[in-house]
Amino acid sequence: MSSKEYGQISYMPGNEKRHHAAEMKSVVPDKPLLFLKPPTAFITEGNPIKVPRGCHELHHEVELGVIIGRKGKDISEIGAMDYVGGYTLCLDMTARDLQEEAKKNGLPWTVAKGFDTSCPVGSFLPKEQVADPHNLPLWCNVNGQMRQEGSTADMVFRIPTLISYISSYFTLEPGDVILTGTPAGVGPVQPGDIVEAGLGSLIRMSFKVQVEEKSM
Ligand SMILES: O=C(O)/C=C/C(=O)CC(=O)C(=O)O
Ligand SMILES: [Mg+2]
């Protein structure tokens, strides 16, 4: 897995407590809101999440990751699931203060969402092992304290809609990962914290948060 990530904004209809857009005081978009993370954003277990320079409020967002298995452009919703190779669990680490500043100034979220180590990922699940990707519990705790508990059943844009919409602008390639949005409960992490996340009984993963050291 070494490719781009397409993030999107999540909305949990019908239950304000699980509504991430509401907790961010954001308007719910009528189409997916996209951003990209570069390949250097990805880390696997054993590697630390590094707080990016200038960030004083780094947030966790736990999300289902959809891994693309076949190249495609202008994919129809009907055929979209044929392009899925599998799934994983992701943390869409977000420099919330930098994102807020960018939002205020009408600037892109590139640094806030795409800094090095901003996308910790779990193990690869072949799609045959996931009976219903739209009905998976997901959770995130920090130092053992539960912060996020939700279900992929509450995503506003389902996977075929995301694949079809994204591929109308970007050619999707094998290994690309689509992050599908996060439940409510996002919150800050500090250097030294342990962030743990899970996808039902399928994936459990854990990452330590560190300060970003200057490289030579
Ligand atoms: O609206 C905001 O302030 C923030 C939105 C996000 O960070 C979107 C996501 O990444 C998400 O919903 O998962
Ligand atoms: Mg997110």
CSV table of all heavy atoms in Angstrom, one decimal, residues 5 7-10 20 35 37 61-63 91-94 96 113 179-182, ligand 2:
chain,number,residue,atom,x,y,z
A,5,GLU,N,-4.2,8.8,-0.8
A,5,GLU,CA,-5.5,8.6,0.0
A,5,GLU,C,-6.4,9.7,-0.4
A,5,GLU,O,-6.1,10.9,-0.5
A,5,GLU,CB,-5.2,8.7,1.5
A,5,GLU,CG,-6.4,8.6,2.3
A,5,GLU,CD,-6.5,9.5,3.5
A,5,GLU,OE1,-5.4,9.7,4.1
A,5,GLU,OE2,-7.6,9.9,3.9
A,7,GLY,N,-9.5,11.4,1.2
A,7,GLY,CA,-10.3,11.6,2.4
A,7,GLY,C,-11.6,12.2,2.0
A,7,GLY,O,-11.8,12.7,0.9
A,8,GLN,N,-12.5,12.1,2.9
A,8,GLN,CA,-13.8,12.7,2.7
A,8,GLN,C,-14.4,13.1,4.0
A,8,GLN,O,-14.1,12.6,5.0
A,8,GLN,CB,-14.7,11.8,1.8
A,8,GLN,CG,-15.2,10.6,2.6
A,8,GLN,CD,-16.7,10.6,2.8
A,8,GLN,OE1,-17.4,11.5,2.4
A,8,GLN,NE2,-17.2,9.7,3.6
A,9,ILE,N,-15.4,14.0,3.9
A,9,ILE,CA,-16.0,14.5,5.1
A,9,ILE,C,-17.2,13.5,5.5
A,9,ILE,O,-17.9,13.0,4.6
A,9,ILE,CB,-16.5,15.9,5.0
A,9,ILE,CG1,-16.9,16.5,6.3
A,9,ILE,CG2,-17.7,16.0,4.0
A,9,ILE,CD1,-16.9,18.0,6.4
A,10,SER,N,-17.4,13.3,6.7
A,10,SER,CA,-18.4,12.3,7.1
A,10,SER,C,-19.6,13.0,7.7
A,10,SER,O,-19.5,14.1,8.3
A,10,SER,CB,-17.8,11.3,8.1
A,10,SER,OG,-17.3,12.1,9.2
A,20,HIS,N,-20.0,14.0,13.1
A,20,HIS,CA,-18.7,14.7,13.1
A,20,HIS,C,-18.8,16.1,12.5
A,20,HIS,O,-18.2,17.0,13.0
A,20,HIS,CB,-17.7,13.9,12.4
A,20,HIS,CG,-16.3,14.6,12.2
A,20,HIS,ND1,-15.6,15.0,13.3
A,20,HIS,CD2,-15.6,14.8,11.1
A,20,HIS,CE1,-14.5,15.6,12.9
A,20,HIS,NE2,-14.5,15.5,11.6
A,35,PHE,N,-9.8,15.4,-0.2
A,35,PHE,CA,-8.4,15.9,0.0
A,35,PHE,C,-7.5,14.7,-0.3
A,35,PHE,O,-7.9,13.6,-0.3
A,35,PHE,CB,-8.2,16.5,1.4
A,35,PHE,CG,-8.6,15.6,2.5
A,35,PHE,CD1,-7.7,14.7,3.0
A,35,PHE,CD2,-9.8,15.8,3.1
A,35,PHE,CE1,-8.1,13.8,4.0
A,35,PHE,CE2,-10.2,14.9,4.2
A,35,PHE,CZ,-9.3,14.0,4.6
A,37,LYS,N,-3.7,12.7,0.6
A,37,LYS,CA,-2.5,12.5,1.4
A,37,LYS,C,-1.5,11.8,0.5
A,37,LYS,O,-1.8,10.9,-0.3
A,37,LYS,CB,-2.8,11.6,2.6
A,37,LYS,CG,-3.7,12.2,3.6
A,37,LYS,CD,-3.9,11.2,4.8
A,37,LYS,CE,-5.0,11.7,5.8
A,37,LYS,NZ,-4.4,12.2,7.0
A,61,GLU,N,-8.8,10.7,13.9
A,61,GLU,CA,-10.1,10.4,13.3
A,61,GLU,C,-10.0,8.9,12.8
A,61,GLU,O,-9.2,8.6,11.9
A,61,GLU,CB,-10.3,11.3,12.0
A,61,GLU,CG,-10.4,12.8,12.4
A,61,GLU,CD,-10.8,13.6,11.1
A,61,GLU,OE1,-11.0,13.0,10.0
A,61,GLU,OE2,-10.8,14.8,11.2
A,62,VAL,N,-10.8,8.0,13.4
A,62,VAL,CA,-10.7,6.6,12.9
A,62,VAL,C,-11.7,6.4,11.7
A,62,VAL,O,-12.8,7.0,11.7
A,62,VAL,CB,-11.0,5.7,14.1
A,62,VAL,CG1,-12.5,5.8,14.6
A,62,VAL,CG2,-10.7,4.2,13.7
A,63,GLU,N,-11.2,5.7,10.7
A,63,GLU,CA,-12.0,5.6,9.5
A,63,GLU,C,-11.8,4.2,8.8
A,63,GLU,O,-10.7,3.7,8.9
A,63,GLU,CB,-11.6,6.7,8.5
A,63,GLU,CG,-11.6,8.0,9.2
A,63,GLU,CD,-11.6,9.2,8.2
A,63,GLU,OE1,-11.9,9.0,7.0
A,63,GLU,OE2,-11.4,10.3,8.7
A,91,LEU,N,-6.2,5.8,10.4
A,91,LEU,CA,-6.3,7.0,11.3
A,91,LEU,C,-6.0,8.2,10.4
A,91,LEU,O,-4.9,8.3,9.9
A,91,LEU,CB,-5.4,7.0,12.5
A,91,LEU,CG,-5.7,6.0,13.6
A,91,LEU,CD1,-4.6,5.7,14.5
A,91,LEU,CD2,-7.0,6.4,14.4
A,92,ASP,N,-7.0,9.1,10.2
A,92,ASP,CA,-6.9,10.3,9.4
A,92,ASP,C,-6.4,11.4,10.4
A,92,ASP,O,-7.2,12.2,10.9
A,92,ASP,CB,-8.2,10.7,8.8
A,92,ASP,CG,-8.2,12.0,8.1
A,92,ASP,OD1,-7.1,12.5,7.9
A,92,ASP,OD2,-9.3,12.6,7.8
A,93,MET,N,-5.1,11.3,10.7
A,93,MET,CA,-4.5,12.2,11.7
A,93,MET,C,-4.6,13.7,11.1
A,93,MET,O,-4.2,13.9,10.0
A,93,MET,CB,-3.1,11.9,12.1
A,93,MET,CG,-2.9,10.5,12.7
A,93,MET,SD,-3.9,10.3,14.2
A,93,MET,CE,-3.3,11.5,15.3
A,94,THR,N,-5.1,14.6,11.9
A,94,THR,CA,-5.4,15.9,11.3
A,94,THR,C,-4.9,17.0,12.3
A,94,THR,O,-5.2,17.0,13.5
A,94,THR,CB,-7.0,16.1,11.2
A,94,THR,OG1,-7.5,15.0,10.4
A,94,THR,CG2,-7.3,17.4,10.7
A,96,ARG,N,-5.5,19.9,13.6
A,96,ARG,CA,-6.8,20.6,13.6
A,96,ARG,C,-6.6,22.1,13.6
A,96,ARG,O,-7.3,22.9,12.9
A,96,ARG,CB,-7.6,20.2,14.8
A,96,ARG,CG,-9.1,20.6,14.7
A,96,ARG,CD,-9.8,19.9,13.6
A,96,ARG,NE,-10.1,18.5,14.0
A,96,ARG,CZ,-10.4,17.5,13.1
A,96,ARG,NH1,-10.5,17.8,11.8
A,96,ARG,NH2,-10.6,16.3,13.5
A,113,LYS,N,-3.7,17.8,6.6
A,113,LYS,CA,-4.1,16.4,6.4
A,113,LYS,C,-3.0,15.5,5.8
A,113,LYS,O,-3.2,14.3,5.9
A,113,LYS,CB,-5.3,16.4,5.4
A,113,LYS,CG,-6.6,16.9,6.0
A,113,LYS,CD,-7.3,16.0,6.9
A,113,LYS,CE,-8.7,16.3,7.2
A,113,LYS,NZ,-9.3,15.4,8.2
A,179,LEU,N,-10.4,7.0,2.3
A,179,LEU,CA,-10.9,7.1,3.7
A,179,LEU,C,-12.3,7.5,3.7
A,179,LEU,O,-12.7,8.5,2.9
A,179,LEU,CB,-10.0,8.0,4.5
A,179,LEU,CG,-8.8,7.3,5.2
A,179,LEU,CD1,-7.9,6.8,4.2
A,179,LEU,CD2,-8.2,8.2,6.2
A,180,THR,N,-13.2,6.9,4.5
A,180,THR,CA,-14.6,7.1,4.3
A,180,THR,C,-15.3,8.0,5.3
A,180,THR,O,-16.5,8.1,5.3
A,180,THR,CB,-15.3,5.7,4.3
A,180,THR,OG1,-14.8,5.0,5.5
A,180,THR,CG2,-14.9,4.8,3.1
A,181,GLY,N,-14.5,8.7,6.1
A,181,GLY,CA,-15.1,9.6,7.0
A,181,GLY,C,-15.1,9.0,8.4
A,181,GLY,O,-15.1,7.8,8.6
A,182,THR,N,-15.2,9.9,9.4
A,182,THR,CA,-15.1,9.5,10.8
A,182,THR,C,-16.3,9.8,11.6
A,182,THR,O,-17.0,10.7,11.4
A,182,THR,CB,-13.8,10.3,11.4
A,182,THR,OG1,-13.4,9.6,12.6
A,182,THR,CG2,-14.1,11.7,11.7
B,2,MG,MG,-11.3,12.2,8.2
